[in-house]
Amino acid sequence: MVCKKCEKKLSALAAPDKWKEGSKNAVAGSSGRKINQNKLLSKSAKLRYTPFENNCRICKARVHQDKAHYCQDCAYKKGICAMCGKQILNTSSYKQSTT
């Protein structure tokens, strides 16, 4: 769960297919990318990739979302944003288990 303010901070995934000449969305060479380069295997993608960087502030589990401070389970149980911790959902009338 992420609030509207933090939705802008969400990272976009790189496309798994290669950059091809003649694609509809861009012209080759205009954005500085090489033709037939897989962005998942490029050097810049490896530098940004830091898996399991943060731990949840509540349960200390690994957080799988970039720039998040709370795991999805704790964020949903508490009704808070996973990135900033702001209350976005009233869970007082929800029937949730404690585990």
Side-chain angles (χ1 to χ4, degrees), residues 9-11 50 53-54 63-68 83:
K9 299 177 190 175
L10 290 174
S11 61
T50 54
E53 186 177 324
N54 298 331
V63 176
H64 301 289
Q65 191 175 9
D66 191 30
K67 300 175 187 166
M83 293 179 133

Side-chain angles (χ1 to χ4, degrees), residues 4-70:
K4 293 196 183 237
K5 180 181 162 188
C6 294
E7 273 186 27
K8 299 172 189 168
K9 299 177 190 175
L10 290 174
S11 61
L13 294 175
D17 51 301
K18 288 195 238 178
W19 178 265
K20 295 180 183 173
E21 190 174 15
S23 64
K24 294 178 184 177
N25 57 356
V27 179
S30 65
S31 61
R33 290 176 60 178
K34 296 177 186 173
I35 297 174
N36 292 333
Q37 177 189 16
N38 190 337
K39 287 303 287 179
L40 292 175
L41 301 176
S42 68
K43 187 176 181 181
S44 64
K46 291 178 184 174
L47 293 175
R48 284 184 288 148
Y49 183 67
T50 54
F52 314 121
E53 186 177 324
N54 298 331
N55 291 336
C56 177
R57 290 183 178 175
I58 298 171
C59 67
K60 308 298 183 211
R62 300 284 182 177
V63 176
H64 301 289
Q65 191 175 9
D66 191 30
K67 300 175 187 166
H69 298 291
Y70 302 98

Side-chain angles (χ1 to χ4, degrees), residues 1-4 6-7 10 65 72 80-83 88:
M1 295 175 57
V2 181
C3 64
K4 293 196 183 237
C6 294
E7 273 186 27
L10 290 174
Q65 191 175 9
Q72 287 297 318
I80 58 175
C81 172
M83 293 179 133
I88 56 173

Side-chain angles (χ1 to χ4, degrees), residues 76-77 89-96:
Y76 183 74
K77 285 178 188 174
L89 184 66
N90 184 10
T91 58
S92 61
S93 62
Y94 285 14
K95 237 181 169 177
Q96 296 183 4

